[in-house]
Amino acid sequence: DLLATNILSSIDNLKHSISNITVMIPSDLCPEKRRFLLQMASANVNIGVSLIERKSSITNYDMDMDMATDICTAPVTTDWFLIANAMFTPTKNIERIMTKLKSTPVVPFTPVSDNDNIHCSLLTSCRESYENAKVYDSNNRIFVKDFNMLFHTASRDEFCNSWLQHRMSSSIEDHPPSATSYIAFLRSKKTLNDQYELFDDTIYGERDLFQP
């Protein structure tokens, strides 16, 4: 509970254009904790905050996997959105990306190859996301952190419909949606370059939007 209010208050201290925040909560969170979370949010944040109960109907994953599917299950009413969990707080970089939505969003990626594990060595999700993205783009050679992705909501919806169809056909049964797969999906639709500009963070440096 305190971790969630920490990220909320951290966002409120930054200059940004975030209009509302949705907090995804476990379905078994007791009423007392729900009330506490809302009270803490209203006391620390000047942005509209809503609590949404996670739906487990599309997945039989454990809690970590349920959190990963928030990319697809979180209800979003804005044109763009970011995603993070309560273990992270925003960096100053979030101010830049959220104030330039009239231009093409710039997203950092890490180059990956089948025979090179150097850039994936520090993140357990890197190799898995890289491989899973090949469902959409067999030539995928990049990894994008979920928390560095500025998702376009309509494109997210289209991607998630495709992801769910693949999951129902068992081709990605045990793999949650990710920013890397989202990018690969857009590339397969030939819309990626119209929506995003990607930069190599091994050349230009990391610019994470959230930090532990």
PDB file of all heavy atoms in Angstrom, residues 1 3 22 32 55 61 69 105 109 116 139 156 161 167-168 174-175 188 201 204 207 211:
ATOM      1  N   ASP A   1       0.820  -1.200   0.000  1.00  0.00           N
ATOM      2  CA  ASP A   1       0.000   0.000   0.000  1.00  0.00           C
ATOM      3  C   ASP A   1       0.857   1.254   0.000  1.00  0.00           C
ATOM      4  O   ASP A   1       0.615   2.196  -0.737  1.00  0.00           O
ATOM      5  CB  ASP A   1      -0.921   0.002   1.220  1.00  0.00           C
ATOM      6  CG  ASP A   1      -1.857  -1.188   1.222  1.00  0.00           C
ATOM      7  OD1 ASP A   1      -2.015  -1.808   0.164  1.00  0.00           O
ATOM      8  OD2 ASP A   1      -2.410  -1.503   2.288  1.00  0.00           O
ATOM      9  N   LEU A   3       3.954   1.452  -0.938  1.00  0.00           N
ATOM     10  CA  LEU A   3       4.708   1.515  -2.189  1.00  0.00           C
ATOM     11  C   LEU A   3       3.876   2.189  -3.270  1.00  0.00           C
ATOM     12  O   LEU A   3       4.378   2.994  -4.052  1.00  0.00           O
ATOM     13  CB  LEU A   3       5.124   0.108  -2.629  1.00  0.00           C
ATOM     14  CG  LEU A   3       6.242  -0.562  -1.837  1.00  0.00           C
ATOM     15  CD1 LEU A   3       6.403  -2.009  -2.296  1.00  0.00           C
ATOM     16  CD2 LEU A   3       7.551   0.194  -1.998  1.00  0.00           C
ATOM     17  N   THR A  22      -4.566   5.029 -13.137  1.00  0.00           N
ATOM     18  CA  THR A  22      -5.328   3.832 -12.798  1.00  0.00           C
ATOM     19  C   THR A  22      -4.430   2.877 -12.033  1.00  0.00           C
ATOM     20  O   THR A  22      -3.334   2.550 -12.495  1.00  0.00           O
ATOM     21  CB  THR A  22      -5.850   3.130 -14.066  1.00  0.00           C
ATOM     22  OG1 THR A  22      -6.747   4.009 -14.758  1.00  0.00           O
ATOM     23  CG2 THR A  22      -6.586   1.849 -13.718  1.00  0.00           C
ATOM     24  N   GLU A  32     -10.580  -2.866   3.564  1.00  0.00           N
ATOM     25  CA  GLU A  32      -9.860  -1.909   4.397  1.00  0.00           C
ATOM     26  C   GLU A  32      -8.643  -1.349   3.665  1.00  0.00           C
ATOM     27  O   GLU A  32      -8.370  -0.144   3.713  1.00  0.00           O
ATOM     28  CB  GLU A  32      -9.427  -2.573   5.713  1.00  0.00           C
ATOM     29  CG  GLU A  32     -10.557  -2.921   6.657  1.00  0.00           C
ATOM     30  CD  GLU A  32     -11.296  -4.190   6.238  1.00  0.00           C
ATOM     31  OE1 GLU A  32     -10.805  -4.908   5.333  1.00  0.00           O
ATOM     32  OE2 GLU A  32     -12.375  -4.434   6.804  1.00  0.00           O
ATOM     33  N   LYS A  55      -8.740  -8.581 -13.510  1.00  0.00           N
ATOM     34  CA  LYS A  55      -9.560  -9.696 -13.946  1.00  0.00           C
ATOM     35  C   LYS A  55      -8.644 -10.843 -14.343  1.00  0.00           C
ATOM     36  O   LYS A  55      -7.722 -10.666 -15.128  1.00  0.00           O
ATOM     37  CB  LYS A  55     -10.429  -9.302 -15.145  1.00  0.00           C
ATOM     38  CG  LYS A  55     -11.306  -8.077 -14.890  1.00  0.00           C
ATOM     39  CD  LYS A  55     -12.310  -8.307 -13.775  1.00  0.00           C
ATOM     40  CE  LYS A  55     -13.208  -7.091 -13.608  1.00  0.00           C
ATOM     41  NZ  LYS A  55     -14.160  -7.251 -12.486  1.00  0.00           N
ATOM     42  N   TYR A  61      -2.182 -17.232 -14.881  1.00  0.00           N
ATOM     43  CA  TYR A  61      -0.841 -16.959 -14.410  1.00  0.00           C
ATOM     44  C   TYR A  61      -0.823 -16.738 -12.909  1.00  0.00           C
ATOM     45  O   TYR A  61      -1.851 -16.526 -12.260  1.00  0.00           O
ATOM     46  CB  TYR A  61      -0.297 -15.693 -15.079  1.00  0.00           C
ATOM     47  CG  TYR A  61      -0.119 -15.795 -16.572  1.00  0.00           C
ATOM     48  CD1 TYR A  61      -0.388 -14.693 -17.379  1.00  0.00           C
ATOM     49  CD2 TYR A  61       0.326 -16.962 -17.176  1.00  0.00           C
ATOM     50  CE1 TYR A  61      -0.217 -14.754 -18.758  1.00  0.00           C
ATOM     51  CE2 TYR A  61       0.491 -17.036 -18.546  1.00  0.00           C
ATOM     52  CZ  TYR A  61       0.220 -15.933 -19.331  1.00  0.00           C
ATOM     53  OH  TYR A  61       0.383 -16.000 -20.670  1.00  0.00           O
ATOM     54  N   THR A  69       0.135  -8.783 -17.502  1.00  0.00           N
ATOM     55  CA  THR A  69      -0.951  -8.626 -18.461  1.00  0.00           C
ATOM     56  C   THR A  69      -1.714  -7.318 -18.273  1.00  0.00           C
ATOM     57  O   THR A  69      -2.647  -7.033 -19.039  1.00  0.00           O
ATOM     58  CB  THR A  69      -1.941  -9.808 -18.380  1.00  0.00           C
ATOM     59  OG1 THR A  69      -2.506  -9.866 -17.061  1.00  0.00           O
ATOM     60  CG2 THR A  69      -1.248 -11.118 -18.702  1.00  0.00           C
ATOM     61  N   PRO A 105       6.796  10.165 -30.383  1.00  0.00           N
ATOM     62  CA  PRO A 105       7.451   9.711 -29.154  1.00  0.00           C
ATOM     63  C   PRO A 105       8.756   8.976 -29.463  1.00  0.00           C
ATOM     64  O   PRO A 105       8.836   8.208 -30.417  1.00  0.00           O
ATOM     65  CB  PRO A 105       6.417   8.764 -28.533  1.00  0.00           C
ATOM     66  CG  PRO A 105       5.116   9.195 -29.112  1.00  0.00           C
ATOM     67  CD  PRO A 105       5.423   9.642 -30.504  1.00  0.00           C
ATOM     68  N   PHE A 109      15.651   1.453 -27.051  1.00  0.00           N
ATOM     69  CA  PHE A 109      15.676   0.000 -27.174  1.00  0.00           C
ATOM     70  C   PHE A 109      17.092  -0.498 -26.951  1.00  0.00           C
ATOM     71  O   PHE A 109      18.067   0.244 -27.054  1.00  0.00           O
ATOM     72  CB  PHE A 109      15.183  -0.439 -28.558  1.00  0.00           C
ATOM     73  CG  PHE A 109      16.160  -0.185 -29.688  1.00  0.00           C
ATOM     74  CD1 PHE A 109      17.124  -1.129 -30.028  1.00  0.00           C
ATOM     75  CD2 PHE A 109      16.115   1.005 -30.401  1.00  0.00           C
ATOM     76  CE1 PHE A 109      18.028  -0.890 -31.071  1.00  0.00           C
ATOM     77  CE2 PHE A 109      16.999   1.251 -31.442  1.00  0.00           C
ATOM     78  CZ  PHE A 109      17.964   0.301 -31.766  1.00  0.00           C
ATOM     79  N   ASP A 116      24.081 -13.292 -29.090  1.00  0.00           N
ATOM     80  CA  ASP A 116      24.708 -12.288 -28.227  1.00  0.00           C
ATOM     81  C   ASP A 116      23.870 -12.090 -26.977  1.00  0.00           C
ATOM     82  O   ASP A 116      22.746 -11.604 -27.047  1.00  0.00           O
ATOM     83  CB  ASP A 116      24.848 -10.961 -28.984  1.00  0.00           C
ATOM     84  CG  ASP A 116      25.509  -9.880 -28.132  1.00  0.00           C
ATOM     85  OD1 ASP A 116      25.967 -10.205 -27.031  1.00  0.00           O
ATOM     86  OD2 ASP A 116      25.540  -8.729 -28.597  1.00  0.00           O
ATOM     87  N   ASN A 139      12.243 -11.311 -37.609  1.00  0.00           N
ATOM     88  CA  ASN A 139      13.555 -10.661 -37.681  1.00  0.00           C
ATOM     89  C   ASN A 139      13.798  -9.698 -36.522  1.00  0.00           C
ATOM     90  O   ASN A 139      14.712  -8.878 -36.584  1.00  0.00           O
ATOM     91  CB  ASN A 139      13.672  -9.895 -39.002  1.00  0.00           C
ATOM     92  CG  ASN A 139      13.659 -10.812 -40.212  1.00  0.00           C
ATOM     93  OD1 ASN A 139      14.317 -11.851 -40.210  1.00  0.00           O
ATOM     94  ND2 ASN A 139      12.901 -10.440 -41.234  1.00  0.00           N
ATOM     95  N   ARG A 156      -2.480  -0.283 -28.817  1.00  0.00           N
ATOM     96  CA  ARG A 156      -2.404  -1.296 -27.753  1.00  0.00           C
ATOM     97  C   ARG A 156      -3.583  -2.246 -27.848  1.00  0.00           C
ATOM     98  O   ARG A 156      -3.422  -3.481 -27.735  1.00  0.00           O
ATOM     99  CB  ARG A 156      -2.401  -0.593 -26.392  1.00  0.00           C
ATOM    100  CG  ARG A 156      -2.256  -1.486 -25.138  1.00  0.00           C
ATOM    101  CD  ARG A 156      -3.505  -2.229 -24.705  1.00  0.00           C
ATOM    102  NE  ARG A 156      -4.676  -1.416 -24.452  1.00  0.00           N
ATOM    103  CZ  ARG A 156      -5.131  -1.098 -23.236  1.00  0.00           C
ATOM    104  NH1 ARG A 156      -4.490  -1.526 -22.162  1.00  0.00           N
ATOM    105  NH2 ARG A 156      -6.247  -0.384 -23.104  1.00  0.00           N
ATOM    106  N   ASN A 161      -5.653  -7.616 -28.882  1.00  0.00           N
ATOM    107  CA  ASN A 161      -6.587  -8.535 -29.532  1.00  0.00           C
ATOM    108  C   ASN A 161      -5.830  -9.626 -30.274  1.00  0.00           C
ATOM    109  O   ASN A 161      -6.195 -10.805 -30.232  1.00  0.00           O
ATOM    110  CB  ASN A 161      -7.490  -7.773 -30.503  1.00  0.00           C
ATOM    111  CG  ASN A 161      -8.543  -6.950 -29.801  1.00  0.00           C
ATOM    112  OD1 ASN A 161      -8.934  -7.262 -28.682  1.00  0.00           O
ATOM    113  ND2 ASN A 161      -8.999  -5.888 -30.448  1.00  0.00           N
ATOM    114  N   ARG A 167      -2.668 -16.401 -28.002  1.00  0.00           N
ATOM    115  CA  ARG A 167      -2.668 -17.167 -26.756  1.00  0.00           C
ATOM    116  C   ARG A 167      -3.713 -18.270 -26.796  1.00  0.00           C
ATOM    117  O   ARG A 167      -3.475 -19.391 -26.344  1.00  0.00           O
ATOM    118  CB  ARG A 167      -2.929 -16.254 -25.564  1.00  0.00           C
ATOM    119  CG  ARG A 167      -2.823 -16.997 -24.236  1.00  0.00           C
ATOM    120  CD  ARG A 167      -3.028 -16.117 -23.024  1.00  0.00           C
ATOM    121  NE  ARG A 167      -2.818 -16.918 -21.837  1.00  0.00           N
ATOM    122  CZ  ARG A 167      -3.749 -17.685 -21.281  1.00  0.00           C
ATOM    123  NH1 ARG A 167      -4.954 -17.744 -21.818  1.00  0.00           N
ATOM    124  NH2 ARG A 167      -3.475 -18.407 -20.211  1.00  0.00           N
ATOM    125  N   MET A 168      -4.874 -17.973 -27.333  1.00  0.00           N
ATOM    126  CA  MET A 168      -5.937 -18.979 -27.413  1.00  0.00           C
ATOM    127  C   MET A 168      -5.552 -20.111 -28.345  1.00  0.00           C
ATOM    128  O   MET A 168      -6.012 -21.243 -28.199  1.00  0.00           O
ATOM    129  CB  MET A 168      -7.240 -18.319 -27.864  1.00  0.00           C
ATOM    130  CG  MET A 168      -7.822 -17.359 -26.838  1.00  0.00           C
ATOM    131  SD  MET A 168      -9.293 -16.483 -27.438  1.00  0.00           S
ATOM    132  CE  MET A 168     -10.445 -17.848 -27.608  1.00  0.00           C
ATOM    133  N   ASP A 174       2.259 -19.286 -22.590  1.00  0.00           N
ATOM    134  CA  ASP A 174       2.852 -18.949 -21.308  1.00  0.00           C
ATOM    135  C   ASP A 174       3.585 -17.617 -21.320  1.00  0.00           C
ATOM    136  O   ASP A 174       4.383 -17.339 -20.428  1.00  0.00           O
ATOM    137  CB  ASP A 174       3.830 -20.054 -20.878  1.00  0.00           C
ATOM    138  CG  ASP A 174       3.121 -21.387 -20.687  1.00  0.00           C
ATOM    139  OD1 ASP A 174       1.992 -21.369 -20.171  1.00  0.00           O
ATOM    140  OD2 ASP A 174       3.696 -22.418 -21.053  1.00  0.00           O
ATOM    141  N   HIS A 175       3.335 -16.796 -22.326  1.00  0.00           N
ATOM    142  CA  HIS A 175       4.104 -15.568 -22.461  1.00  0.00           C
ATOM    143  C   HIS A 175       3.200 -14.341 -22.371  1.00  0.00           C
ATOM    144  O   HIS A 175       2.293 -14.182 -23.197  1.00  0.00           O
ATOM    145  CB  HIS A 175       4.868 -15.559 -23.788  1.00  0.00           C
ATOM    146  CG  HIS A 175       5.686 -16.795 -24.010  1.00  0.00           C
ATOM    147  ND1 HIS A 175       6.521 -17.303 -23.050  1.00  0.00           N
ATOM    148  CD2 HIS A 175       5.799 -17.621 -25.083  1.00  0.00           C
ATOM    149  CE1 HIS A 175       7.110 -18.399 -23.525  1.00  0.00           C
ATOM    150  NE2 HIS A 175       6.682 -18.613 -24.741  1.00  0.00           N
ATOM    151  N   SER A 188       5.199  -5.288 -37.895  1.00  0.00           N
ATOM    152  CA  SER A 188       4.561  -6.230 -38.822  1.00  0.00           C
ATOM    153  C   SER A 188       3.391  -5.580 -39.555  1.00  0.00           C
ATOM    154  O   SER A 188       3.057  -5.973 -40.677  1.00  0.00           O
ATOM    155  CB  SER A 188       4.077  -7.475 -38.062  1.00  0.00           C
ATOM    156  OG  SER A 188       2.945  -7.185 -37.252  1.00  0.00           O
ATOM    157  N   ASP A 201      19.915   2.541 -26.910  1.00  0.00           N
ATOM    158  CA  ASP A 201      20.402   3.056 -25.626  1.00  0.00           C
ATOM    159  C   ASP A 201      21.833   2.615 -25.312  1.00  0.00           C
ATOM    160  O   ASP A 201      22.434   3.117 -24.364  1.00  0.00           O
ATOM    161  CB  ASP A 201      19.459   2.685 -24.486  1.00  0.00           C
ATOM    162  CG  ASP A 201      19.308   1.178 -24.280  1.00  0.00           C
ATOM    163  OD1 ASP A 201      20.099   0.399 -24.828  1.00  0.00           O
ATOM    164  OD2 ASP A 201      18.370   0.789 -23.562  1.00  0.00           O
ATOM    165  N   TYR A 204      23.355   5.905 -27.269  1.00  0.00           N
ATOM    166  CA  TYR A 204      22.960   7.232 -26.797  1.00  0.00           C
ATOM    167  C   TYR A 204      22.719   7.304 -25.292  1.00  0.00           C
ATOM    168  O   TYR A 204      22.433   8.368 -24.749  1.00  0.00           O
ATOM    169  CB  TYR A 204      21.706   7.691 -27.538  1.00  0.00           C
ATOM    170  CG  TYR A 204      21.913   7.789 -29.029  1.00  0.00           C
ATOM    171  CD1 TYR A 204      21.424   6.809 -29.888  1.00  0.00           C
ATOM    172  CD2 TYR A 204      22.619   8.842 -29.585  1.00  0.00           C
ATOM    173  CE1 TYR A 204      21.615   6.887 -31.256  1.00  0.00           C
ATOM    174  CE2 TYR A 204      22.825   8.928 -30.959  1.00  0.00           C
ATOM    175  CZ  TYR A 204      22.318   7.949 -31.788  1.00  0.00           C
ATOM    176  OH  TYR A 204      22.518   8.028 -33.140  1.00  0.00           O
ATOM    177  N   ARG A 207      17.736   6.144 -20.862  1.00  0.00           N
ATOM    178  CA  ARG A 207      16.898   7.239 -20.375  1.00  0.00           C
ATOM    179  C   ARG A 207      15.616   6.650 -19.803  1.00  0.00           C
ATOM    180  O   ARG A 207      14.514   6.898 -20.277  1.00  0.00           O
ATOM    181  CB  ARG A 207      16.583   8.226 -21.504  1.00  0.00           C
ATOM    182  CG  ARG A 207      17.821   8.839 -22.151  1.00  0.00           C
ATOM    183  CD  ARG A 207      17.459   9.728 -23.308  1.00  0.00           C
ATOM    184  NE  ARG A 207      18.641  10.119 -24.083  1.00  0.00           N
ATOM    185  CZ  ARG A 207      18.606  10.839 -25.209  1.00  0.00           C
ATOM    186  NH1 ARG A 207      17.443  11.243 -25.674  1.00  0.00           N
ATOM    187  NH2 ARG A 207      19.701  11.145 -25.847  1.00  0.00           N
ATOM    188  N   GLN A 211      12.513   4.260 -12.173  1.00  0.00           N
ATOM    189  CA  GLN A 211      13.679   3.664 -11.519  1.00  0.00           C
ATOM    190  C   GLN A 211      13.247   2.911 -10.266  1.00  0.00           C
ATOM    191  O   GLN A 211      12.238   3.264  -9.641  1.00  0.00           O
ATOM    192  CB  GLN A 211      14.688   4.762 -11.154  1.00  0.00           C
ATOM    193  CG  GLN A 211      14.146   5.781 -10.161  1.00  0.00           C
ATOM    194  CD  GLN A 211      15.074   6.947  -9.956  1.00  0.00           C
ATOM    195  OE1 GLN A 211      16.132   7.048 -10.578  1.00  0.00           O
ATOM    196  NE2 GLN A 211      14.682   7.859  -9.073  1.00  0.00           N
TER     197      GLN A 211
END
